[in-house]
Amino acid sequence: MSAKDSMAKEYFADNARFADLCNNVLYGGKEVILPENLKERDTTEVLTTLGLDKKTIAMQKLRDIFKNASIKYTGKSYVVLIGVENQSDIHYAIPVKNMFYDVMAYGNQVKETAKKHRKEKDTATSDEFLSGFTKTDKLIPVITITVYLGTKEWDGPRRLSDMFGEVDEELLPFIPDYRINLLAPREIKDFTGFRTSIRQLFEVLQNAYDKEKMQEVLQNDKKFSNVDRETVEAINLFAGTDIDIDEKEEVIDMCKAWEEQKNEGREEGRELGERQKIISLIVKKLQKDKSVAEIADELEEKEEVIAPIYEAALSMKPDYDVEKIYELLEKNKKLA
């Protein structure tokens, strides 16, 4: 399992974040699914069926996250099964993948119901006995949400029919379709419905491709001044940022950390520029057959500072590539 897979599963398995995610996808941000009404389910789906040779075949798939959700809404109570599939990359067969998970979840419900009826011997007709399911038995609805944790636009299929080639239009009504429930950061229009720090994660993912937009987001959203450690770690991993995290801190001021990182980058850039400028000056004087002592005197610098640059440049005669000389000096510094 990759670091991104592990991080995503651990991060969204938290009931508060899971509920927040589901409420935004399913209820437009209304607080309907509550963290305390979620119950962990086994993420391993195992379904046994009969093959063509009448031998039992066991199929097994491992979901990312799978929970029971007890919902009270519009005066009624419901139970649904909700699975979350995390994608750090675009999956071009995601409708088939998710559909298979859902079929296995429904198949297991039918299998468990049939087992119960066999044990209690309470089927009323031969039809009910053969199917293992009675006229009054009901399935618990299964919902699978795909969370895309990439920074690119999602250009993968959103339904099974997107994966078909040319199909006779008269046949389409007879071909069952399957639609995925996709949450893609670049497509989120309003972040105000999020109640947990997954809001900050998705905002960064939406703007990670543009540093100016990222800066604007960090400055305008005060919530970035108080982000939990796990979310900052997730942001670093999925958005490719390098926000410094103090080992002693559980809450991080991302606005401050981003500004400090930017300033450090500017300083490093200045240092790199100055270093390469000195190398360029030494190369020009070396090409005029100046000695280390002469170059040091003309640049008003110590000979021990000039000497290693001089030797590195001399080793690359006659090209004298400034960037390669700099890389060699850095390499020699690490080996010293």
Side-chain angles (χ1 to χ4, degrees), residues 241-283:
T241 55
D242 191 23
I243 302 297
D244 188 44
I245 302 174
D246 191 320
E247 295 296 325
K248 299 176 183 177
E249 293 182 353
E250 289 302 320
V251 175
I252 290 91
D253 184 340
M254 276 195 64
C255 307
K256 181 181 176 184
W258 178 267
E259 196 60 38
E260 288 174 352
Q261 185 188 53
K262 195 168 66 172
N263 290 336
E264 285 174 9
R266 287 200 194 104
E267 187 60 34
E268 287 174 4
R270 278 197 293 269
E271 288 178 6
L272 173 61
E274 289 171 5
R275 184 82 163 151
Q276 289 184 341
K277 185 178 179 181
I278 291 172
I279 293 171
S280 180
L281 288 171
I282 293 172
V283 164

mmCIF file of all heavy atoms in Angstrom, residues 241-283:
data_model
loop_
_atom_site.group_PDB
_atom_site.id
_atom_site.type_symbol
_atom_site.label_atom_id
_atom_site.label_comp_id
_atom_site.label_asym_id
_atom_site.label_seq_id
_atom_site.Cartn_x
_atom_site.Cartn_y
_atom_site.Cartn_z
ATOM 1 N N THR A 241 3.163 20.180 -1.227
ATOM 2 C CA THR A 241 3.746 21.319 -0.523
ATOM 3 C C THR A 241 4.773 20.812 0.488
ATOM 4 O O THR A 241 4.911 19.613 0.712
ATOM 5 C CB THR A 241 2.661 22.135 0.210
ATOM 6 O OG1 THR A 241 1.918 21.266 1.085
ATOM 7 C CG2 THR A 241 1.700 22.769 -0.776
ATOM 8 N N ASP A 242 5.468 21.738 1.098
ATOM 9 C CA ASP A 242 6.499 21.363 2.075
ATOM 10 C C ASP A 242 6.386 22.266 3.299
ATOM 11 O O ASP A 242 7.349 22.892 3.736
ATOM 12 C CB ASP A 242 7.886 21.484 1.435
ATOM 13 C CG ASP A 242 8.986 20.861 2.300
ATOM 14 O OD1 ASP A 242 8.651 19.986 3.125
ATOM 15 O OD2 ASP A 242 10.154 21.268 2.168
ATOM 16 N N ILE A 243 5.163 22.327 3.845
ATOM 17 C CA ILE A 243 4.919 23.156 5.024
ATOM 18 C C ILE A 243 5.658 22.547 6.207
ATOM 19 O O ILE A 243 5.520 21.364 6.510
ATOM 20 C CB ILE A 243 3.404 23.236 5.350
ATOM 21 C CG1 ILE A 243 2.625 23.786 4.156
ATOM 22 C CG2 ILE A 243 3.174 24.079 6.594
ATOM 23 C CD1 ILE A 243 2.967 25.175 3.751
ATOM 24 N N ASP A 244 6.447 23.363 6.881
ATOM 25 C CA ASP A 244 7.229 22.884 8.024
ATOM 26 C C ASP A 244 6.301 22.587 9.200
ATOM 27 O O ASP A 244 5.436 23.392 9.542
ATOM 28 C CB ASP A 244 8.262 23.947 8.423
ATOM 29 C CG ASP A 244 9.224 23.429 9.479
ATOM 30 O OD1 ASP A 244 9.699 22.282 9.353
ATOM 31 O OD2 ASP A 244 9.495 24.159 10.448
ATOM 32 N N ILE A 245 6.462 21.403 9.795
ATOM 33 C CA ILE A 245 5.625 20.988 10.922
ATOM 34 C C ILE A 245 6.511 20.767 12.138
ATOM 35 O O ILE A 245 7.386 19.895 12.134
ATOM 36 C CB ILE A 245 4.844 19.691 10.604
ATOM 37 C CG1 ILE A 245 3.968 19.884 9.366
ATOM 38 C CG2 ILE A 245 3.993 19.271 11.798
ATOM 39 C CD1 ILE A 245 3.287 18.611 8.900
ATOM 40 N N ASP A 246 6.295 21.568 13.171
ATOM 41 C CA ASP A 246 7.024 21.398 14.425
ATOM 42 C C ASP A 246 6.507 20.149 15.124
ATOM 43 O O ASP A 246 5.300 19.982 15.306
ATOM 44 C CB ASP A 246 6.806 22.624 15.318
ATOM 45 C CG ASP A 246 7.745 22.640 16.525
ATOM 46 O OD1 ASP A 246 7.965 21.554 17.110
ATOM 47 O OD2 ASP A 246 8.255 23.725 16.869
ATOM 48 N N GLU A 247 7.422 19.261 15.483
ATOM 49 C CA GLU A 247 7.042 17.986 16.107
ATOM 50 C C GLU A 247 6.224 18.171 17.383
ATOM 51 O O GLU A 247 5.465 17.297 17.785
ATOM 52 C CB GLU A 247 8.298 17.166 16.427
ATOM 53 C CG GLU A 247 9.082 16.708 15.209
ATOM 54 C CD GLU A 247 8.286 15.760 14.333
ATOM 55 O OE1 GLU A 247 7.499 14.959 14.870
ATOM 56 O OE2 GLU A 247 8.424 15.830 13.100
ATOM 57 N N LYS A 248 6.370 19.333 18.036
ATOM 58 C CA LYS A 248 5.681 19.567 19.311
ATOM 59 C C LYS A 248 4.287 20.160 19.116
ATOM 60 O O LYS A 248 3.504 20.217 20.053
ATOM 61 C CB LYS A 248 6.514 20.510 20.180
ATOM 62 C CG LYS A 248 7.892 19.961 20.541
ATOM 63 C CD LYS A 248 8.699 20.993 21.310
ATOM 64 C CE LYS A 248 10.110 20.479 21.600
ATOM 65 N NZ LYS A 248 10.939 21.502 22.290
ATOM 66 N N GLU A 249 3.988 20.612 17.909
ATOM 67 C CA GLU A 249 2.718 21.300 17.673
ATOM 68 C C GLU A 249 1.655 20.368 17.099
ATOM 69 O O GLU A 249 1.930 19.576 16.214
ATOM 70 C CB GLU A 249 2.930 22.473 16.712
ATOM 71 C CG GLU A 249 3.771 23.595 17.282
ATOM 72 C CD GLU A 249 3.913 24.754 16.312
ATOM 73 O OE1 GLU A 249 3.456 24.598 15.162
ATOM 74 O OE2 GLU A 249 4.486 25.778 16.698
ATOM 75 N N GLU A 250 0.435 20.480 17.615
ATOM 76 C CA GLU A 250 -0.703 19.732 17.085
ATOM 77 C C GLU A 250 -1.553 20.609 16.180
ATOM 78 O O GLU A 250 -2.357 20.108 15.402
ATOM 79 C CB GLU A 250 -1.560 19.184 18.242
ATOM 80 C CG GLU A 250 -0.894 18.050 19.012
ATOM 81 C CD GLU A 250 -0.533 16.850 18.129
ATOM 82 O OE1 GLU A 250 -1.333 16.497 17.247
ATOM 83 O OE2 GLU A 250 0.552 16.283 18.319
ATOM 84 N N VAL A 251 -1.388 21.918 16.305
ATOM 85 C CA VAL A 251 -2.114 22.874 15.474
ATOM 86 C C VAL A 251 -1.092 23.785 14.799
ATOM 87 O O VAL A 251 -0.171 24.283 15.444
ATOM 88 C CB VAL A 251 -3.100 23.717 16.313
ATOM 89 C CG1 VAL A 251 -3.753 24.782 15.451
ATOM 90 C CG2 VAL A 251 -4.171 22.830 16.928
ATOM 91 N N ILE A 252 -1.244 23.998 13.498
ATOM 92 C CA ILE A 252 -0.252 24.761 12.731
ATOM 93 C C ILE A 252 -0.898 25.983 12.092
ATOM 94 O O ILE A 252 -2.013 25.910 11.564
ATOM 95 C CB ILE A 252 0.393 23.875 11.628
ATOM 96 C CG1 ILE A 252 1.302 22.820 12.256
ATOM 97 C CG2 ILE A 252 1.219 24.693 10.650
ATOM 98 C CD1 ILE A 252 0.655 21.536 12.579
ATOM 99 N N ASP A 253 -0.188 27.099 12.136
ATOM 100 C CA ASP A 253 -0.609 28.318 11.447
ATOM 101 C C ASP A 253 -0.036 28.234 10.035
ATOM 102 O O ASP A 253 1.130 28.571 9.796
ATOM 103 C CB ASP A 253 -0.075 29.553 12.180
ATOM 104 C CG ASP A 253 -0.571 30.864 11.559
ATOM 105 O OD1 ASP A 253 -0.985 30.832 10.378
ATOM 106 O OD2 ASP A 253 -0.542 31.895 12.248
ATOM 107 N N MET A 254 -0.846 27.777 9.081
ATOM 108 C CA MET A 254 -0.365 27.571 7.719
ATOM 109 C C MET A 254 -0.028 28.889 7.021
ATOM 110 O O MET A 254 0.878 28.938 6.184
ATOM 111 C CB MET A 254 -1.396 26.805 6.894
ATOM 112 C CG MET A 254 -1.311 25.309 7.057
ATOM 113 S SD MET A 254 -2.236 24.443 5.760
ATOM 114 C CE MET A 254 -1.339 24.902 4.276
ATOM 115 N N CYS A 255 -0.748 29.955 7.359
ATOM 116 C CA CYS A 255 -0.463 31.260 6.744
ATOM 117 C C CYS A 255 0.973 31.675 7.067
ATOM 118 O O CYS A 255 1.741 32.067 6.186
ATOM 119 C CB CYS A 255 -1.423 32.321 7.270
ATOM 120 S SG CYS A 255 -3.158 31.861 7.125
ATOM 121 N N LYS A 256 1.316 31.573 8.344
ATOM 122 C CA LYS A 256 2.658 31.954 8.803
ATOM 123 C C LYS A 256 3.715 31.017 8.225
ATOM 124 O O LYS A 256 4.764 31.462 7.737
ATOM 125 C CB LYS A 256 2.695 31.917 10.332
ATOM 126 C CG LYS A 256 4.029 32.325 10.931
ATOM 127 C CD LYS A 256 3.968 32.240 12.444
ATOM 128 C CE LYS A 256 5.334 32.561 13.061
ATOM 129 N NZ LYS A 256 5.296 32.395 14.542
ATOM 130 N N ALA A 257 3.428 29.702 8.261
ATOM 131 C CA ALA A 257 4.401 28.717 7.769
ATOM 132 C C ALA A 257 4.652 28.908 6.272
ATOM 133 O O ALA A 257 5.782 28.789 5.799
ATOM 134 C CB ALA A 257 3.889 27.302 8.039
ATOM 135 N N TRP A 258 3.576 29.211 5.512
ATOM 136 C CA TRP A 258 3.711 29.417 4.069
ATOM 137 C C TRP A 258 4.572 30.656 3.779
ATOM 138 O O TRP A 258 5.425 30.640 2.892
ATOM 139 C CB TRP A 258 2.332 29.577 3.450
ATOM 140 C CG TRP A 258 2.334 29.854 1.978
ATOM 141 C CD1 TRP A 258 2.309 31.076 1.369
ATOM 142 C CD2 TRP A 258 2.370 28.894 0.914
ATOM 143 N NE1 TRP A 258 2.316 30.943 0.011
ATOM 144 C CE2 TRP A 258 2.358 29.612 -0.301
ATOM 145 C CE3 TRP A 258 2.398 27.499 0.884
ATOM 146 C CZ2 TRP A 258 2.378 28.990 -1.542
ATOM 147 C CZ3 TRP A 258 2.418 26.869 -0.363
ATOM 148 C CH2 TRP A 258 2.407 27.604 -1.543
ATOM 149 N N GLU A 259 4.335 31.733 4.544
ATOM 150 C CA GLU A 259 5.091 32.967 4.346
ATOM 151 C C GLU A 259 6.570 32.756 4.667
ATOM 152 O O GLU A 259 7.450 33.230 3.938
ATOM 153 C CB GLU A 259 4.510 34.069 5.241
ATOM 154 C CG GLU A 259 4.937 35.484 4.866
ATOM 155 C CD GLU A 259 4.528 35.883 3.468
ATOM 156 O OE1 GLU A 259 3.419 35.497 3.034
ATOM 157 O OE2 GLU A 259 5.326 36.571 2.804
ATOM 158 N N GLU A 260 6.825 32.038 5.768
ATOM 159 C CA GLU A 260 8.211 31.758 6.151
ATOM 160 C C GLU A 260 8.905 30.915 5.089
ATOM 161 O O GLU A 260 10.064 31.142 4.752
ATOM 162 C CB GLU A 260 8.247 31.038 7.504
ATOM 163 C CG GLU A 260 7.897 31.937 8.678
ATOM 164 C CD GLU A 260 7.801 31.174 9.995
ATOM 165 O OE1 GLU A 260 7.862 29.919 9.948
ATOM 166 O OE2 GLU A 260 7.664 31.821 11.046
ATOM 167 N N GLN A 261 8.175 29.926 4.570
ATOM 168 C CA GLN A 261 8.740 29.062 3.525
ATOM 169 C C GLN A 261 9.046 29.876 2.272
ATOM 170 O O GLN A 261 10.083 29.681 1.620
ATOM 171 C CB GLN A 261 7.746 27.944 3.192
ATOM 172 C CG GLN A 261 8.286 26.923 2.193
ATOM 173 C CD GLN A 261 7.199 25.960 1.749
ATOM 174 O OE1 GLN A 261 6.142 26.378 1.304
ATOM 175 N NE2 GLN A 261 7.451 24.677 1.878
ATOM 176 N N LYS A 262 8.152 30.801 1.934
ATOM 177 C CA LYS A 262 8.340 31.638 0.755
ATOM 178 C C LYS A 262 9.567 32.535 0.921
ATOM 179 O O LYS A 262 10.367 32.701 -0.003
ATOM 180 C CB LYS A 262 7.085 32.483 0.517
ATOM 181 C CG LYS A 262 7.036 33.117 -0.856
ATOM 182 C CD LYS A 262 5.671 33.692 -1.159
ATOM 183 C CE LYS A 262 5.358 34.845 -0.234
ATOM 184 N NZ LYS A 262 4.114 35.549 -0.636
ATOM 185 N N ASN A 263 9.706 33.100 2.127
ATOM 186 C CA ASN A 263 10.859 33.964 2.397
ATOM 187 C C ASN A 263 12.159 33.177 2.348
ATOM 188 O O ASN A 263 13.173 33.659 1.849
ATOM 189 C CB ASN A 263 10.706 34.639 3.769
ATOM 190 C CG ASN A 263 9.589 35.675 3.763
ATOM 191 O OD1 ASN A 263 9.239 36.203 2.715
ATOM 192 N ND2 ASN A 263 9.024 35.946 4.921
ATOM 193 N N GLU A 264 12.114 31.945 2.887
ATOM 194 C CA GLU A 264 13.301 31.084 2.837
ATOM 195 C C GLU A 264 13.666 30.774 1.391
ATOM 196 O O GLU A 264 14.839 30.735 1.026
ATOM 197 C CB GLU A 264 13.041 29.777 3.603
ATOM 198 C CG GLU A 264 13.063 29.946 5.116
ATOM 199 C CD GLU A 264 12.649 28.673 5.835
ATOM 200 O OE1 GLU A 264 12.511 27.629 5.159
ATOM 201 O OE2 GLU A 264 12.451 28.724 7.060
ATOM 202 N N GLY A 265 12.627 30.552 0.576
ATOM 203 C CA GLY A 265 12.865 30.269 -0.845
ATOM 204 C C GLY A 265 13.515 31.445 -1.544
ATOM 205 O O GLY A 265 14.426 31.281 -2.354
ATOM 206 N N ARG A 266 13.033 32.676 -1.188
ATOM 207 C CA ARG A 266 13.633 33.872 -1.777
ATOM 208 C C ARG A 266 15.099 33.993 -1.372
ATOM 209 O O ARG A 266 15.959 34.333 -2.177
ATOM 210 C CB ARG A 266 12.873 35.115 -1.293
ATOM 211 C CG ARG A 266 11.505 35.295 -1.912
ATOM 212 C CD ARG A 266 11.051 36.732 -1.765
ATOM 213 N NE ARG A 266 9.633 36.864 -2.044
ATOM 214 C CZ ARG A 266 8.704 37.022 -1.110
ATOM 215 N NH1 ARG A 266 9.040 37.026 0.161
ATOM 216 N NH2 ARG A 266 7.439 37.151 -1.448
ATOM 217 N N GLU A 267 15.352 33.730 -0.061
ATOM 218 C CA GLU A 267 16.718 33.839 0.450
ATOM 219 C C GLU A 267 17.637 32.822 -0.222
ATOM 220 O O GLU A 267 18.762 33.138 -0.620
ATOM 221 C CB GLU A 267 16.712 33.626 1.969
ATOM 222 C CG GLU A 267 18.052 33.884 2.655
ATOM 223 C CD GLU A 267 18.544 35.311 2.460
ATOM 224 O OE1 GLU A 267 17.706 36.235 2.407
ATOM 225 O OE2 GLU A 267 19.775 35.483 2.331
ATOM 226 N N GLU A 268 17.115 31.591 -0.367
ATOM 227 C CA GLU A 268 17.905 30.550 -1.038
ATOM 228 C C GLU A 268 18.176 30.939 -2.493
ATOM 229 O O GLU A 268 19.256 30.694 -3.019
ATOM 230 C CB GLU A 268 17.159 29.212 -0.985
ATOM 231 C CG GLU A 268 17.170 28.570 0.398
ATOM 232 C CD GLU A 268 16.304 27.322 0.464
ATOM 233 O OE1 GLU A 268 15.764 26.920 -0.602
ATOM 234 O OE2 GLU A 268 16.150 26.765 1.557
ATOM 235 N N GLY A 269 17.161 31.547 -3.120
ATOM 236 C CA GLY A 269 17.327 31.985 -4.506
ATOM 237 C C GLY A 269 18.385 33.065 -4.633
ATOM 238 O O GLY A 269 19.195 33.059 -5.561
ATOM 239 N N ARG A 270 18.357 33.992 -3.657
ATOM 240 C CA ARG A 270 19.371 35.055 -3.666
ATOM 241 C C ARG A 270 20.770 34.484 -3.480
ATOM 242 O O ARG A 270 21.722 34.864 -4.166
ATOM 243 C CB ARG A 270 19.068 36.080 -2.568
ATOM 244 C CG ARG A 270 18.034 37.120 -2.960
ATOM 245 C CD ARG A 270 18.067 38.306 -2.033
ATOM 246 N NE ARG A 270 17.640 37.940 -0.689
ATOM 247 C CZ ARG A 270 16.380 38.019 -0.270
ATOM 248 N NH1 ARG A 270 15.436 38.444 -1.096
ATOM 249 N NH2 ARG A 270 16.061 37.675 0.957
ATOM 250 N N GLU A 271 20.883 33.548 -2.516
ATOM 251 C CA GLU A 271 22.182 32.922 -2.251
ATOM 252 C C GLU A 271 22.692 32.172 -3.475
ATOM 253 O O GLU A 271 23.874 32.236 -3.810
ATOM 254 C CB GLU A 271 22.064 31.968 -1.059
ATOM 255 C CG GLU A 271 21.904 32.686 0.271
ATOM 256 C CD GLU A 271 21.749 31.723 1.428
ATOM 257 O OE1 GLU A 271 21.880 30.494 1.193
ATOM 258 O OE2 GLU A 271 21.489 32.175 2.551
ATOM 259 N N LEU A 272 21.754 31.450 -4.139
ATOM 260 C CA LEU A 272 22.135 30.713 -5.344
ATOM 261 C C LEU A 272 22.605 31.674 -6.433
ATOM 262 O O LEU A 272 23.630 31.450 -7.083
ATOM 263 C CB LEU A 272 20.936 29.890 -5.851
ATOM 264 C CG LEU A 272 21.107 29.172 -7.202
ATOM 265 C CD1 LEU A 272 22.251 28.173 -7.137
ATOM 266 C CD2 LEU A 272 19.811 28.475 -7.597
ATOM 267 N N GLY A 273 21.848 32.767 -6.596
ATOM 268 C CA GLY A 273 22.214 33.750 -7.612
ATOM 269 C C GLY A 273 23.566 34.370 -7.354
ATOM 270 O O GLY A 273 24.385 34.531 -8.269
ATOM 271 N N GLU A 274 23.829 34.726 -6.084
ATOM 272 C CA GLU A 274 25.119 35.328 -5.730
ATOM 273 C C GLU A 274 26.265 34.343 -5.941
ATOM 274 O O GLU A 274 27.342 34.709 -6.423
ATOM 275 C CB GLU A 274 25.074 35.794 -4.277
ATOM 276 C CG GLU A 274 24.181 37.014 -4.072
ATOM 277 C CD GLU A 274 23.975 37.345 -2.607
ATOM 278 O OE1 GLU A 274 24.620 36.672 -1.757
ATOM 279 O OE2 GLU A 274 23.176 38.245 -2.305
ATOM 280 N N ARG A 275 26.009 33.102 -5.556
ATOM 281 C CA ARG A 275 27.038 32.062 -5.698
ATOM 282 C C ARG A 275 27.389 31.852 -7.179
ATOM 283 O O ARG A 275 28.552 31.774 -7.550
ATOM 284 C CB ARG A 275 26.510 30.760 -5.094
ATOM 285 C CG ARG A 275 27.479 29.609 -5.071
ATOM 286 C CD ARG A 275 28.407 29.685 -3.918
ATOM 287 N NE ARG A 275 29.059 28.397 -3.682
ATOM 288 C CZ ARG A 275 30.250 28.285 -3.148
ATOM 289 N NH1 ARG A 275 30.926 29.373 -2.800
ATOM 290 N NH2 ARG A 275 30.793 27.103 -2.943
ATOM 291 N N GLN A 276 26.356 31.774 -8.008
ATOM 292 C CA GLN A 276 26.598 31.571 -9.438
ATOM 293 C C GLN A 276 27.249 32.794 -10.080
ATOM 294 O O GLN A 276 28.034 32.664 -11.026
ATOM 295 C CB GLN A 276 25.280 31.225 -10.145
ATOM 296 C CG GLN A 276 24.757 29.835 -9.799
ATOM 297 C CD GLN A 276 23.512 29.454 -10.573
ATOM 298 O OE1 GLN A 276 22.822 30.319 -11.105
ATOM 299 N NE2 GLN A 276 23.228 28.168 -10.641
ATOM 300 N N LYS A 277 26.963 33.983 -9.550
ATOM 301 C CA LYS A 277 27.586 35.203 -10.069
ATOM 302 C C LYS A 277 29.091 35.186 -9.801
ATOM 303 O O LYS A 277 29.899 35.538 -10.680
ATOM 304 C CB LYS A 277 26.942 36.427 -9.415
ATOM 305 C CG LYS A 277 27.439 37.747 -9.986
ATOM 306 C CD LYS A 277 26.719 38.915 -9.332
ATOM 307 C CE LYS A 277 27.230 40.241 -9.891
ATOM 308 N NZ LYS A 277 26.553 41.404 -9.254
ATOM 309 N N ILE A 278 29.479 34.741 -8.587
ATOM 310 C CA ILE A 278 30.900 34.654 -8.240
ATOM 311 C C ILE A 278 31.600 33.631 -9.136
ATOM 312 O O ILE A 278 32.704 33.861 -9.634
ATOM 313 C CB ILE A 278 31.068 34.266 -6.748
ATOM 314 C CG1 ILE A 278 30.608 35.425 -5.853
ATOM 315 C CG2 ILE A 278 32.523 33.902 -6.443
ATOM 316 C CD1 ILE A 278 30.541 35.078 -4.389
ATOM 317 N N ILE A 279 30.919 32.468 -9.343
ATOM 318 C CA ILE A 279 31.494 31.427 -10.208
ATOM 319 C C ILE A 279 31.726 31.993 -11.607
ATOM 320 O O ILE A 279 32.786 31.778 -12.221
ATOM 321 C CB ILE A 279 30.562 30.193 -10.275
ATOM 322 C CG1 ILE A 279 30.486 29.504 -8.916
ATOM 323 C CG2 ILE A 279 31.050 29.201 -11.341
ATOM 324 C CD1 ILE A 279 29.424 28.421 -8.828
ATOM 325 N N SER A 280 30.725 32.753 -12.108
ATOM 326 C CA SER A 280 30.834 33.327 -13.447
ATOM 327 C C SER A 280 32.009 34.298 -13.540
ATOM 328 O O SER A 280 32.765 34.299 -14.533
ATOM 329 C CB SER A 280 29.528 34.053 -13.795
ATOM 330 O OG SER A 280 29.598 34.608 -15.085
ATOM 331 N N LEU A 281 32.218 35.108 -12.517
ATOM 332 C CA LEU A 281 33.334 36.060 -12.499
ATOM 333 C C LEU A 281 34.676 35.344 -12.484
ATOM 334 O O LEU A 281 35.624 35.726 -13.194
ATOM 335 C CB LEU A 281 33.219 36.970 -11.271
ATOM 336 C CG LEU A 281 32.098 38.022 -11.293
ATOM 337 C CD1 LEU A 281 31.976 38.692 -9.939
ATOM 338 C CD2 LEU A 281 32.333 39.039 -12.393
ATOM 339 N N ILE A 282 34.752 34.266 -11.675
ATOM 340 C CA ILE A 282 35.994 33.500 -11.588
ATOM 341 C C ILE A 282 36.301 32.821 -12.913
ATOM 342 O O ILE A 282 37.458 32.777 -13.360
ATOM 343 C CB ILE A 282 35.910 32.467 -10.436
ATOM 344 C CG1 ILE A 282 35.865 33.201 -9.088
ATOM 345 C CG2 ILE A 282 37.088 31.487 -10.485
ATOM 346 C CD1 ILE A 282 35.581 32.306 -7.898
ATOM 347 N N VAL A 283 35.265 32.293 -13.584
ATOM 348 C CA VAL A 283 35.446 31.637 -14.881
ATOM 349 C C VAL A 283 36.022 32.627 -15.897
ATOM 350 O O VAL A 283 36.961 32.303 -16.652
ATOM 351 C CB VAL A 283 34.108 31.050 -15.386
ATOM 352 C CG1 VAL A 283 34.194 30.726 -16.880
ATOM 353 C CG2 VAL A 283 33.748 29.806 -14.600
#
